[in-house]
Amino acid sequence: MRRLFALIALALLATLLGSCSGRGDGRTVVKFWAMGFEGEMVQRLIPEFERRHPDIRVQVQQLPITSAHEKLLTAFAGDSLPDVCAIGNTWVSEFALLDALQPLDARVAATASLRAQDYFPGAWDTGVIDGRVYAVPWYVETRLPYYRRDLLLKAGIAQPPKTWDEWKTAMAAIKREVGPDRYAALFPLNEPEPLLNLGIQADEPLLRDGGRYGNFRSPGFKRALAFYREAFERQWAPLASNTQIANVWNEFGRGYFSFYVNGPWNIAEFKKRLPAELQDTWMTMPLPGEHGPGASVAGGASFVLFRGSQRQDAAWKLIAYLSEPQTQIRFHGFTGNLPPRRESWSAPALVADPYARAFRDQLERARPAPKVPEWERIAMEIKLVGEQLANGRLTVDQAAEELDRRADRILEKRRWMLDHAAKPAAAAGEGA
Amino acid sequence: MKPSTAGWMFAAPALTVIGVFFGLPVLAALALSLTDFDIYSLAHIENLRFVGFDNYLNLLRNPLFWKALGNTLYFVVVGVPLSIAVSLGAALLLNSKLGAFKPFFRTAFFAPVVTTVVAVAVIWRYLLHTRYGLINWGLSALGIDPVDWLGDPHWAMPSIILFAVWKNFGYNMIIFLAGLQAIPEDLYEAARIDGASASRQFRHITLPILGPVLLMVSILTLAGYFQLFAEPYVMTQGGPLQSTVSVLYLMYEEGFKWWNLGNASAVAFLLFVLMTATTSALMWLARRKGIE
């Protein structure tokens, strides 16, 4: 019993202390949630902001990436969302649908330093739902191949491939050169991105009828599936996931594979992890497309203002500050994340970085993933069906049909909702 | 005050706690499993549909559910007897008079139980690595080609079973050890005088007396193994080709990754029914054989 009293006393004390720290000094407190490593690094930018705005104090809370989505949904359900947050840009549609986000069009228009045209179009578009701006990109990422220059040269490939056909030729040549125990490329089977990035190059959208049905049976997506399957069939790529390859960077250094499709964070990793004698041997290149450099998915994180926030003006000032080109360049220096604005890219650090050049080029062509809340789940099905395709369990036609079937099942509720919402509107229209 | 009232009053706090934190959630989950509660319903409650038993029917029509069920049963059918055999073997070794360093081995065998799954999974992933793993290295010394333990759909579940058995056998071992130490020594003495061999002593003395312990351990292990989740979650993420997706893993993905709480509740109740049926069958069998 005494233990229980002690516990209660402790809890009371904690509550008291908690309320004390919240009382503050009369300044407006803006609560800002950010994910992962970025959440840690962004704190270094806060003092400058607080110096410029002495009446505002920023409270940064760092969320672990893996549980951030759950935590945000829980906070939404419990009505305890912060003022501003940086969320994955594929989540914007979901939170917009939950009616948790504040539309930003008026604020964007009123903020001179934040010019929408300066952003890469694909990145900006990720925050636009049904014509309204709900999110401002913080950093963007897109995936493209890292490759081994020396191994390509050894195989007789002088220029990095630009089209799928050239890529196939290059992979075949490398495979001949390295033999049966090594491979030309790594497309990790536990990620949807390699296949998705090929598929998004198609002229047809990934979902049709306003996101009501899957559109994976389109000729364009089927060609992507065929390319993907061929890479495994001809053993250009190993049937392996990232987790099976204990250390991707080491294996890349050992020449286990020559092309590795991955994101910008690996620039820093390769610089750090590859031995000095290998530093001149690797480079980045734009993702090949069917006819010349192709499109890819615009990923990354974006700032959102939550509707329930009482301090939206102060929170918006924070977004505006963090979106300034100068701030973004500093942030790039801390994290290696790629800024979403063209103006930031004229900074010497980015201009001089040869590895960033291919990303700069590809960002102009990056496209947002379909903006439906179910997208993450559909992407997971792309991963699973892609794995079966790579293992030769499905043909290209079967994989396309299977994907459509799974996507349609996942989108069933969405169709019902859209029809449901359309009916009263139609009735109102008839009445008028 | 009547004695019965006093009894209820003493029990009331505990019953309230059980009711609020156990009874209510179960009832709520049951209700939830009859609806299509999801992210849309979280936004507006009008988006919630009462679907009756559709969740259950859809699950029974979903190939992935059957695959998950098959994987779970595979894990239970192979893993439970193996786990019990290994723990009994270890307990017999520790109980034998010939053994040396007993406290050390007792601690060593029990150590995996108290370590966290995630920490040891990292080590096991290295042991099972196709090209650099210790296990394949040992096999190659015997002239056996390397096996892609976690990457080959045929080997992934056996690898998980191996890992789970290693992780868990220490717990049952301690229970068996207690059971073994409770067997009176003079029974063995009498058997030895009658000329019974070691294996006959085991069959006619050790096993029958251990019967109730064996039943309890079986039920505990069965219940635990039906809830396979952490091992595939950290070792394989359900892959390759979904060969290690278990029923509970499916429930986790449905409920907490995709927020289809209606569907996830239905999965939970189906698993509950399955476990109840299996345990009851085991109890019935034991009762018929006179163990208990």
Side-chain angles (χ1 to χ4, degrees), chain A residues 69-70 73-74 76-77 94 97-99 181 239 243-247 251 254 256 372-374 376-378 380-381 383-384 387-389 391 393 405-406 409 412-414 416-417 420, chain B residues 36-44 46-49 62-63 67 125-126 129-132 148 150-154 235-237 239-242 252-254 256-260 263:
Chain A
H69 188 253
E70 279 141 60
L73 278 180
T74 315
F76 168 75
E94 182 176 343
L97 178 121
L98 288 175
D99 214 9
D181 295 336
L239 283 168
T243 46
Q244 277 163 268
I245 293 179
N247 186 324
E251 295 296 341
R254 284 183 194 149
Y256 187 61
V372 296
E374 293 88 350
E376 297 266 343
R377 184 157 194 194
I378 296 175
M380 212 44 66
E381 300 295 344
K383 177 194 92 172
L384 293 171
E387 193 183 4
Q388 294 189 324
L389 180 75
N391 275 282
R393 304 241 170 139
R405 209 173 56 73
R406 293 189 184 192
R409 198 177 64 216
E412 186 274 332
K413 180 80 180 257
R414 179 177 167 82
W416 176 80
M417 292 240 331
H420 193 66
Chain B
D36 68 343
F37 192 92
D38 61 1
I39 184 82
Y40 290 116
S41 320
L42 206 61
H44 294 289
E46 304 102 76
N47 293 333
L48 187 71
R49 285 180 291 180
N62 184 352
K67 176 144 205 178
R125 279 228 301 263
Y126 271 107
H129 194 281
T130 317
R131 275 172 302 140
Y132 311 121
D148 191 357
L150 294 174
D152 185 331
H154 299 293
M235 299 274 281
T236 56
Q237 302 268 299
L241 287 171
Q242 301 185 308
Y252 163 79
E253 289 222 315
E254 280 291 329
F256 297 104
K257 210 158 165 192
W258 313 124
W259 277 77
N260 288 331
N263 241 334

Side-chain angles (χ1 to χ4, degrees), chain B residues 150-195:
Chain B
L150 294 174
D152 185 331
H154 299 293
W155 284 109
M157 193 45 102
S159 309
I160 297 259
I161 292 175
L162 201 70
F163 171 62
V165 166
W166 171 84
K167 173 88 175 66
N168 299 322
F169 82 92
Y171 186 77
N172 289 339
M173 179 192 77
I174 297 289
I175 301 177
F176 277 132
L177 202 55
L180 286 173
Q181 280 165 356
I183 301 175
E185 186 53 32
D186 37 352
L187 287 178
Y188 289 109
E189 219 174 281
R192 268 199 301 278
I193 292 168
D194 288 345

